[in-house]
Amino acid sequence: MINPNPFVAKRIQNLKKKMVEKNLDTVIIARPENVFYFSNFNPIINSHPAYVIVSLKKEDCLLVHCIRNDHACKEGSLENVQLYGKWGANVALAMDPIEAMRVLLGSEPLRLGLEGNYASISWVSKLQSLLTLTSVTDVTDDIAMLKIVKDEYEIDCMRKAAELVDCGVGTAIEALRGGAHEALACTEGQYAMRKMWHNKFQEYEVAGFGSSESAQIDSCVVWSMANERIAYGCDCPQAYIPVAGDLVLPMSWARIGGYAVENERAVMVGEVDELRRRAYASMLKARSNVFEILRPGTTFEALYTTAMTAFEEAGFSSILPGRCGHGMGLSTHEFPSLAKGNKIALAPGMVFTVEPGLMTKDWGGVRHSDTVLVTENGYELLTKYENGEIVIVK
């Protein structure tokens, strides 16, 4: 297992360089995924939020509720763990986290950076009332750009997560071949993923990032939809047994050490009609178009445009998707999107999905989704399950 600590330290140094560029002296990180990125600590449930405070003038710290102290000290990468609230014998700076920030940061004027797409109005107002702020700057986009290229630790985690999703989707497809309904096939897929985790990766958490109301202890999930329900995008599987002529789409997400990977595979059941077969063939052609130009220097927009060309040539111009892939990492739909207008050029270390697909409530949808890593000369498929034409014989 790779030691995450030096990578976390490097991420904080990169953030500090950006702070100098933007004339900031302090940044408070609050979004759970970003707290993890800069601390390697995931409380799993965020009923008591954790924060990372990065400063050019004071020691960086991880601020957590007293109940999270032992967890943060053992698993986090920041040695300076500060506390708020009350739990047991742990000594806190204050009961309230912003009061604790005031103790840590003092009354000195601050040029503060916050995640504008996450911070609530009431939270920012309280910060302004308790801290001496000369300016407040949104650093959402800056953090997204810092996260866009993955480091060695992140890539290692994602390679392992890819093994889990390959297992989940593959097991679900084999269960469907054996006559299982979709819900049972997905249960079998999730069970197989859990067993693989127990056998190969148990030194890593498979937890996700919970909310204030719930925890995500297990991120090994498989779901599936058939025909018109494919247009839902994401929904619970039903006790439906696919029949000849159907399109079925098993999908899987999994995390290792916080980092997520995705696998989706469109399946034709027996003989499908001409429209569905043409859509399936155009999906494979769109993917081929993307992989032909997927290398450093190509823009995300170019990947999208070449995929859409295949769909337009096959007669599907009226139902083109808005994107044909998205970033992967600490979020299952991370910045950036493979979409029109995205002029960012690919660079080694970027990880995203390639999933040009079609969806409509009229006849269903087709989509293979692979998670890929941009390399020095091209790309590496992290997900390796069969990615050509997949048919279940009925």
Side-chain angles (χ1 to χ4, degrees):
M1 182 175 181
I2 298 174
N3 179 8
N5 293 357
F7 296 97
V8 171
K10 178 67 172 178
R11 296 169 200 168
I12 290 176
Q13 288 306 310
N14 289 338
L15 176 58
K16 288 185 175 182
K17 291 177 183 177
K18 182 58 63 174
M19 290 166 63
V20 171
E21 291 177 16
K22 298 181 76 74
N23 195 31
L24 302 174
D25 48 57
T26 306
V27 168
I28 299 175
I29 305 295
R31 180 181 288 276
E33 296 93 327
N34 292 339
V35 169
F36 182 84
Y37 184 72
F38 291 109
S39 72
N40 203 52
F41 173 62
N42 179 9
I44 300 176
I45 185 169
N46 285 281
S47 52
H48 299 296
Y51 305 89
V52 171
I53 301 174
V54 178
S55 173
L56 299 182
K57 299 179 178 180
K58 300 179 182 294
E59 185 181 2
D60 308 318
C61 76
L62 172 63
L63 177 64
V64 300
H65 189 275
C66 281
I67 197 174
R68 310 292 177 215
N69 178 67
D70 294 345
H71 191 184
C73 290
K74 183 176 181 180
E75 297 190 0
S77 294
L78 296 185
E79 293 185 2
N80 184 15
V81 177
Q82 299 292 334
L83 306 178
Y84 70 90
K86 174 62 179 171
W87 199 268
N90 293 326
V91 178
L93 299 173
M95 288 298 293
D96 180 83
I98 301 180
E99 289 278 5
M101 293 175 194
R102 183 180 61 80
V103 174
L104 288 166
L105 297 172
S107 58
E108 182 180 351
L110 298 175
R111 299 184 301 274
L112 183 64
L114 300 174
E115 302 143 297
N117 68 341
Y118 187 77
S120 68
I121 293 174
S122 60
W123 187 73
V124 174
S125 295
K126 191 168 185 180
L127 280 174
Q128 291 173 324
S129 69
L130 292 178
L131 301 178
T132 306
L133 304 182
T134 58
S135 65
V136 176
T137 301
D138 184 2
V139 295
T140 299
D141 293 342
D142 302 291
I143 292 174
M145 288 303 295
L146 290 176
K147 292 166 62 180
I148 195 173
V149 173
K150 276 32 181 192
D151 57 40
E152 180 185 353
Y153 178 81
E154 296 174 287
I155 293 168
D156 182 66
C157 288
M158 297 179 84
R159 284 196 177 106
K160 292 177 171 68
E163 292 187 51
L164 291 177
V165 295
D166 280 353
C167 172
V169 164
T171 301
I173 290 174
E174 290 309 308
L176 292 171
R177 278 201 174 101
H181 58 61
E182 285 191 282
L184 176 57
C186 293
T187 298
E188 294 293 338
Q190 291 181 192
Y191 182 50
M193 294 167 78
R194 289 285 296 187
K195 288 194 291 184
M196 175 179 278
W197 171 63
H198 279 292
N199 292 331
K200 295 189 67 174
F201 306 123
Q202 202 174 99
E203 69 272 27
Y204 294 91
E205 288 183 347
V206 288
F209 301 97
S211 68
S212 62
E213 300 298 328
S214 64
Q216 190 183 104
I217 298 294
D218 182 4
S219 65
C220 296
V221 295
V222 182
W223 71 103
S224 178
M225 290 164 286
N227 301 321
E228 69 280 354
R229 292 187 71 245
I230 293 173
Y232 290 8
C234 188
D235 197 20
C236 293
Q238 297 182 350
Y240 174 73
I241 300 175
V243 298
D246 283 351
L247 290 170
V248 185
L249 183 59
M251 295 166 271
S252 180
W253 283 334
R255 295 176 186 271
I256 285 288
Y259 290 89
V261 167
E262 172 181 289
N263 186 327
E264 302 175 353
R265 290 295 184 267
V267 177
M268 293 184 287
V269 183
E271 288 294 328
V272 301
D273 62 28
E274 186 276 335
L275 175 63
R276 290 171 174 82
R277 176 162 288 281
R278 176 158 47 92
Y280 201 109
S282 71
M283 178 268 291
L284 295 180
K285 180 63 168 68
R287 284 168 51 85
S288 177
N289 286 0
V290 170
F291 288 126
E292 284 179 6
I293 65 170
L294 204 165
R295 64 182 66 89
T298 302
T299 66
F300 285 101
E301 181 180 58
L303 299 182
Y304 176 79
T305 300
T306 193
M308 295 310 104
T309 297
F311 290 145
E312 291 167 343
E313 291 175 348
F316 294 104
S317 298
S318 64
I319 57 170
L320 297 180
R323 66 182 182 186
C324 65
H326 54 80
M328 294 296 293
L330 293 173
S331 300
T332 49
H333 291 94
E334 196 166 272
F335 174 84
S337 290
L338 282 63
K340 185 177 181 180
N342 186 348
K343 307 291 188 181
I344 296 173
L346 274 57
M350 292 182 176
V351 180
F352 50 84
T353 65
V354 172
E355 50 175 312
L358 299 168
M359 291 194 302
T360 171
K361 62 181 178 60
D362 297 325
W363 52 263
V366 288
R367 183 171 67 250
H368 288 350
S369 178
D370 277 300
T371 304
V372 304
L373 165 69
V374 181
T375 62
E376 293 293 334
N377 300 311
Y379 65 91
E380 173 190 341
L381 281 172
L382 299 183
T383 44
K384 304 182 188 302
Y385 186 79
E386 178 183 352
N387 56 26
E389 186 177 286
I390 304 175
V391 180
I392 293 176
V393 178
K394 286 285 186 175

